[in-house]
Structure formats: structure tokens, C-alpha cells
Amino acid sequence: MISRNYNISFTTIHLQTVPLFLIISFLIYLYKNSNYQTPPHNKILQTSENFVATVAGLFCILVRVLKNYWKMGSGQWHMEKRSTLKNDSFVKEYNPVTETGSLSIIVLGASGDLAKKKTFPALFNLFHQGFLNPDEVHIFGYARSKITDEELRDKIRGYLVDEKNASKKTEALSKFLKLIKYVSGPYDSEEGFKRLDKAISEHEISKKTAEGSSRRLFYLALPPSVYPPVSKMIKAWCTNKSDLGGWTRIVVEKPFGKDLESAEQLSSQIGALFEEPQIYRIDHYLGKELVQNMLVLRFANRLFLPLWNRDNIANVQIVFREDFGTEGRGGYFDEYGIIRDIIQNHLLQVLCLVAMEKPISLKPEHIRDEKVKVLQSVIPIKDEEVVLGQYEGYRDDPTVPNDSNTPTFATTILRINNERWEGVPFILKAGKAMSSKKADIRIQFKDVPGDIFKCQNQGRNEFVIRLQPSEAMYMKLTVKQPGLEMQTVQSELDLSYKQRYQDVSIPEAYERLILDTIRGDQQHFVRRDELKAAWEIFTPLLHRIDKGEVKSVPYKQGSRGPAEADQLLKKAGYMQTHGYIWIPPTL
């Protein structure tokens, strides 16, 4: 049997193996499709001669090919090994290179709030749980602040463990802090990055890592404005010198631009230096436990498959609320507003997982392909389906302009133009200084046709996924009120994580996502075309807001937001359940 990895050679032609039956079939086809109708008498001879000549010619070619296939006298086929085109993604997936080199995690902006509050605590938790091997990993901090290794360790120490668990983690904390080294330097100077590369190389040499087999992960806990110069310095001075199973990856934080143009410019600048598989655009909402549960919930349960469409679902709400204001970040927040800060990224990513079609596999690219299709199916936002708000007292912050129109609250309706979701409003709502702090997804089902119990005014069925706090999933149902009378009442089927999984620690989003970057799994990160499609949805609206064409209305702190938002929900078909409050079960 001839392997598919071989070509067969003959004198002047280089052909791949051609089964004999294909040639015979071709001859039969020529015979049947030759001018085989009863021809005029004077053309019979010409037709016959043409057919015979064709058959004879093909037969000669076949003899020449077979003669060269076969080594006369040896009784063996003559085969030439075919060169294989390299497919990196295929090789990595099916013939993965064992990663044996040292791992260097470099946190740029190490002295900033994001690094102290999120990045370093996530790294410590991964270390404490055994996901970062102290014999392989070393952590480097880089920033402009001129401090020592010990001073950086002291800065972050208090963020790594809480007082409740401090005694249990003392030894692990001490070992973790010893792994941290600090390098000071500017973000646009080669001298600083040369020193950083030297420090990383010394660590790799100490671990006896072959050049090119080391792994370098750069976490940019920095403002997006410095991404381009920092990326240039990393590319020029800090990447691996060869490829022997090692890699260089960068993690960039949101916001990825302020609109479509700035996002594309940023993507182009970074994309000119690094390939897409090296770039991890982090959105921490994609690391949340209940968000990651969406694919399993939707596609591993037969119960939801026939219900998850426009025939059964009346509307979908994705809600984010905070019970505090900007708290000293007014100047920064005023540049972006609630849509850029929360809705265009976090809530839109959740919408993709709720609305996407089933991917053909769990490979990251297949999942991200389906998310892009959803975004590309969203029709332009109408101004009448948007309500903006600004809480009273927001402009009291001295860093906020007195005439600011920046929304601290927004409700907007997105409509997806495809077979599954046509006519179903997706309501995205986010706000600061609200009455409560929570984030959830609410899938509200349509009314029961022929309501014999006359109970529709009590509320519809709703499937609620509580993302934070008190992670839970519950289904609001109408049931019989216990007792002698036939009365109905709203209740729920409840899966509360703290009750059901008492001995399981739910990881923080940043822990999961940083581990994914080390493993090279981009499933929970935003691809460039996905980012572009997201900005295409919101950029026109954002420009109208920036120009003052869409105004923010005031609302009281500690309220539900502007009354106009509730009116918009009602107009969209959302039916609020009065008299029912979900109470998380106690242990």
C-alpha cells in the first residue's frame, strides 16, 4: 500500500498517485460522451477515428506512467518522499512540543493599582495552588518607580492574603515573594528593557534553560496609550532569540481604544510587532465562573436546546450594577463613560455567549468564530432605544467638567438579525451609584398560551444566572401555593454555588485567565476581528453622545436609575415580577 506521504516520480512529469479506476472511469466517460448519436453517414468514420485516437493516446500515457512507477526487474514501486508543508497550529495541537524551559512572568506597571490589586494576587493564588512551579517560574516587575526588590514586595504583600487566612499562607507567601525581582526603567527607553532582558536571561541561565526554549509572558498592567512603545521595546529587546519550543506572549488590558478608529490603530500597531496567537486581550468577565459555564449550560443540556430561540424567549437582559460612584476616579471615568467601561466589552461578551450558535468544537478559534458572527448580525442601535443617565453629585468631583455629559448609567437595546433571535430584544444595562451591587443575565420566556390559571400577572418564567455576588442559577416558576386552595405563586428552582459546592473555592477571573495565557488557550480572550465588530456596534452611538446629541438624564444615588429606563424596558416587552424577591439560601 502506498502511503499518502509519498509522490511517484517519472521522467518528465511529477504526479501524485492516481488510482487506476479513475483513469478507466474517465475513458468510459469519454466513450459515452463522444458524439455517439447516430451521425450522418459521412461523419461516422471521423467520429470513430477521433474516439479511437483519444483512447490510444490515453493508453500510451497510462503505459508510460506505470512503466515509471515500476522498477523493471525489481518488482517494486519507485516512490519519492514528499515534503510536508508546515502547519504550526496543527503541529502544536496534535504534536505538541514539550515545554521544558523556564517561565518568566513580567508585570509591566508593577507599582500601579491594577498590578497590586489584581495581577500579583492572581499570581500568588496560582502559586499557592501549585500551578506555578517555583523551580521553573520567576516573576519580574517593571515600572518607572525607583524602588528595590524588597520595597515592591512590601507594596504588594498586603494585597496577597487577607487577615483571615494569613496564618495558613505564611510559608507560601514567603516563598512567592522571593520569586519577585524588580527592574526600574522608562517605557520608551531601550536601556531599561535591556536591563530587563538581562535579568530575565540570568534567571533562564540559572535554570539551565536552552536559548529559545524559555517562556516569557509580558502582562501590560498599563494605560493603553503606552502599549505601542512598550510593545516595540519588548519586541526589540526582550523576546526569545530562536524557537525551540519557547514562546513570547503579551497580555493587554481594556480599554482597547475609545472607538473603532482608535481600536484599529492600536491593533495595527501591536499587530505589526506580534502575531495574533501571541496577543491576549484580556476581559476579566470572560474568566468568571458563571460566564464560563454558559457554553456547558447551553450545549450540554437537552432541556435548553429547543427553548433557546425567538419562539420561546421574550427578551434577554444583561445587567451590571454598582452601589458606589466613581470614588476619586472621576477624571479617568469621564474620558470613557459607562458604555466604554462596561457595556461595549463586558456585557457584549456575555451577550455573545448567550446568543451564539453551537461551535463545531471547543477549539478557541471555533468558539470565537461563532461570537464574531453574533456581533456582525447586530443591527445599528436606534437612539429611541437608548436611555443615558448621570447620578446627581457626579460633577461635584473636581476632576469632572461642570458641563460633562458622560453617562454613569445606560440602558440600550441590541437586536440580532438572524433566524434564531429576530424580534428578541437584548437589553444591556449598566450603572454606578445604584440601589444594589450585582451582575446577572435574565432570560425571560414568553407567556403561556391559554392561561387557564389566570396567573400571568404574577410574572413570567425567567432563567436567571447571577454572575456576582452569590453566584447562582435559578429558574422562576409558577407553582401551586401549599394549602387547600388552588392558588398559584412564584417560586424557583435554585442552584446556589455556595450551598451546592461548599468545599470548592471558586477562582478569581484573573487567576483563570493568566493560567490560560501560560497554557496558550485563547478561548476566553478577544480576537482582533471580534474587537472590531464590537466597536462597529457602539462607535456611532458614542460619537453622538460625545457631540451632545444624546443627553444623560439625572438620577438619584441609590436608586434603580432613571425612570425612563424602566419605561424603555416595558416598551421592549420586559414584564417585571412584583412581589417576588430571590433570597440566596443559607448554609
Side-chain angles (χ1 to χ4, degrees):
M1 181 176 179
I2 301 175
S3 168
R4 64 179 179 179
N5 290 325
Y6 290 84
N7 287 345
I8 301 177
S9 299
F10 51 97
T11 308
T12 60
I13 305 174
H14 192 71
L15 296 175
Q16 294 190 1
T17 305
V18 181
L20 185 59
F21 76 86
L22 289 179
I23 298 176
I24 296 172
S25 299
F26 182 59
L27 293 176
I28 295 172
Y29 171 81
L30 286 177
Y31 180 81
K32 288 186 175 181
N33 289 276
S34 63
N35 197 9
Y36 194 66
Q37 298 176 356
T38 304
H41 179 73
N42 59 353
K43 292 187 178 180
I44 293 177
L45 182 60
Q46 181 183 354
T47 303
S48 301
E49 288 174 350
N50 289 342
F51 179 75
V52 170
T54 302
V55 172
L58 288 170
F59 183 77
C60 290
I61 293 174
L62 177 61
V63 169
R64 289 183 63 191
V65 171
L66 292 177
K67 181 179 178 180
N68 284 280
Y69 283 173
W70 192 265
K71 285 187 175 179
M72 303 304 287
S74 64
Q76 293 184 0
W77 293 105
H78 171 61
M79 293 173 289
E80 177 184 304
K81 192 164 185 178
R82 181 170 64 195
S83 62
T84 304
L85 294 177
K86 184 178 180 181
N87 185 322
D88 290 337
S89 61
F90 182 88
V91 170
K92 287 180 180 178
E93 183 172 358
Y94 295 101
N95 298 292
V97 177
T98 303
E99 294 182 345
T100 58
S102 62
L103 172 62
S104 299
I105 300 174
I106 303 94
V107 181
L108 297 113
S111 59
D113 281 349
L114 176 62
K116 290 187 295 185
K117 295 178 180 179
K118 296 295 183 181
T119 313
F120 283 117
L123 291 172
F124 171 67
N125 287 333
L126 289 174
F127 173 81
H128 185 248
Q129 296 172 66
F131 290 104
L132 297 180
N133 186 342
D135 294 329
E136 296 179 356
V137 71
H138 208 76
I139 300 169
F140 298 87
Y142 185 92
R144 290 174 295 197
S145 304
K146 295 183 178 180
I147 56 177
T148 64
D149 295 350
E150 198 59 41
E151 286 173 329
L152 176 62
R153 294 165 186 165
D154 290 339
K155 272 179 172 287
I156 66 175
R157 189 189 305 269
Y159 295 95
L160 302 183
V161 293
D162 52 31
E163 294 182 3
K164 181 180 178 181
N165 297 311
S167 59
K168 301 177 183 177
K169 299 181 178 180
T170 302
E171 183 179 355
L173 179 61
S174 177
K175 291 180 179 179
F176 175 77
L177 291 174
K178 289 179 181 178
L179 299 176
I180 297 175
K181 180 177 179 60
Y182 182 76
V183 178
S184 174
Y187 295 124
D188 57 355
S189 169
E190 62 182 58
E191 282 73 21
F193 283 87
K194 284 181 178 178
R195 289 197 301 272
L196 177 60
D197 181 65
K198 181 181 178 182
I200 298 171
S201 298
E202 288 174 353
H203 158 64
E204 293 168 351
I205 293 171
S206 71
K207 299 297 181 182
K208 299 180 180 179
T209 299
E211 184 178 2
S213 66
S214 62
R215 297 166 289 163
R216 297 185 177 188
L217 175 61
F218 293 86
Y219 195 111
L220 277 60
L222 297 165
S225 59
V226 298
Y227 288 172
V230 168
S231 298
K232 286 180 181 179
M233 292 296 106
I234 294 172
K235 179 67 175 179
W237 304 108
C238 296
T239 56
N240 286 327
K241 306 304 184 291
S242 61
D243 185 8
L244 296 175
W247 44 255
T248 300
R249 295 171 185 155
I250 66 168
V251 181
V252 292
E253 280 274 356
K254 76 171 187 70
F256 311 116
K258 295 184 67 175
D259 57 11
L260 177 59
E261 182 181 358
S262 59
E264 277 292 280
Q265 182 181 10
L266 189 60
S267 293
S268 296
Q269 290 172 327
I270 298 176
L273 300 167
F274 297 96
E275 297 179 0
E276 187 65 24
Q278 295 179 281
I279 304 169
Y280 289 72
R281 300 175 188 86
I282 194 169
D283 184 329
H284 76 272
Y285 251 59
L286 291 176
K288 289 186 176 295
E289 181 68 33
L290 271 294
V291 174
Q292 295 208 336
N293 201 7
M294 278 302 305
L295 291 187
V296 178
L297 191 70
R298 285 194 56 197
F299 302 122
N301 294 286
R302 182 62 181 264
L303 169 67
F304 293 113
L305 293 179
L307 301 179
W308 214 267
N309 53 52
R310 61 188 173 93
D311 296 329
N312 300 286
I313 293 176
N315 54 76
V316 177
Q317 269 198 86
I318 305 173
V319 179
F320 171 91
R321 294 181 177 179
E322 287 181 333
D323 55 2
F324 53 88
T326 55
E327 295 190 339
R329 295 174 63 246
Y332 168 82
F333 183 85
D334 200 70
E335 294 182 22
Y336 294 94
I338 198 71
I339 294 178
R340 290 183 175 98
D341 193 38
I342 301 295
I343 295 179
Q344 182 273 338
N345 37 70
H346 299 332
L347 302 195
L348 196 59
Q349 285 295 317
V350 174
L351 178 146
C352 289
L353 296 174
V354 172
M356 65 182 275
E357 296 298 319
K358 185 177 183 178
I360 61 175
S361 79
L362 291 177
K363 294 178 182 177
E365 294 313 307
H366 292 159
I367 293 172
R368 299 199 291 183
D369 286 345
E370 296 302 329
K371 291 167 65 181
V372 171
K373 290 178 186 177
V374 171
L375 296 173
Q376 292 174 339
S377 298
V378 175
I379 64 176
I381 301 171
K382 300 176 182 178
D383 287 353
E384 59 268 26
E385 293 191 325
V386 176
V387 172
L388 305 179
Q390 189 182 92
Y391 67 82
E392 296 174 355
Y394 169 73
R395 299 180 192 176
D396 294 342
D397 188 322
T399 62
V400 174
N402 293 329
D403 59 349
S404 172
N405 186 47
T406 300
T408 61
F409 172 97
T411 295
T412 181
I413 297 175
L414 299 189
R415 298 185 183 273
I416 301 172
N417 184 30
N418 64 19
E419 183 179 4
R420 182 182 294 272
W421 297 114
E422 184 179 6
V424 178
F426 282 75
I427 304 162
L428 307 187
K429 183 166 72 173
K432 289 182 171 291
M434 305 285 286
S435 58
S436 60
K437 179 182 179 180
K438 69 174 183 178
D440 57 29
I441 307 166
R442 292 179 174 270
I443 292 99
Q444 188 172 84
F445 291 87
K446 292 183 175 181
D447 293 326
V448 175
D451 179 22
I452 61 175
F453 294 103
K454 310 299 180 186
C455 59
Q456 287 187 359
N457 61 337
Q458 291 180 336
R460 292 170 168 170
N461 295 146
E462 279 188 15
F463 181 48
V464 182
I465 303 170
R466 173 64 64 88
L467 305 179
Q468 66 179 33
S470 303
E471 293 91 344
M473 292 184 286
Y474 61 94
M475 176 73 82
K476 292 167 63 174
L477 302 172
T478 299
V479 299
K480 178 185 175 296
Q481 175 76 46
L484 297 175
E485 300 294 333
M486 179 57 73
Q487 295 181 346
T488 59
V489 66
Q490 282 259 308
S491 188
E492 72 280 324
L493 299 175
D494 192 315
L495 170 59
S496 291
Y497 273 50
K498 285 186 178 179
Q499 184 186 46
R500 180 65 179 84
Y501 305 111
Q502 296 183 24
D503 298 326
V504 177
S505 175
I506 298 177
E508 288 292 328
Y510 279 91
E511 296 174 36
R512 194 189 311 271
L513 295 176
I514 290 175
L515 185 59
D516 283 346
T517 63
I518 296 171
R519 292 173 170 173
D521 185 352
Q522 290 188 303
Q523 175 181 334
H524 305 115
F525 296 84
V526 181
R527 202 168 63 189
R528 180 174 177 175
D529 57 341
E530 187 179 350
L531 176 64
K532 179 181 178 182
W535 277 117
E536 286 175 339
I537 294 170
F538 281 100
T539 292
L541 172 63
L542 289 167
H543 285 176
R544 294 196 295 274
I545 295 171
D546 294 341
K547 293 175 183 177
E549 296 173 5
V550 185
K551 297 291 185 180
S552 297
V553 297
Y555 65 94
K556 293 185 178 297
Q557 295 190 44
S559 68
R560 286 176 49 85
E564 291 87 342
D566 288 335
Q567 296 168 9
L568 178 61
L569 263 62
K570 186 176 181 180
K571 182 180 177 181
Y574 175 71
M575 183 181 292
Q576 187 175 355
T577 303
H578 296 283
Y580 169 87
I581 299 176
W582 175 71
I583 301 175
T586 56
L587 299 180

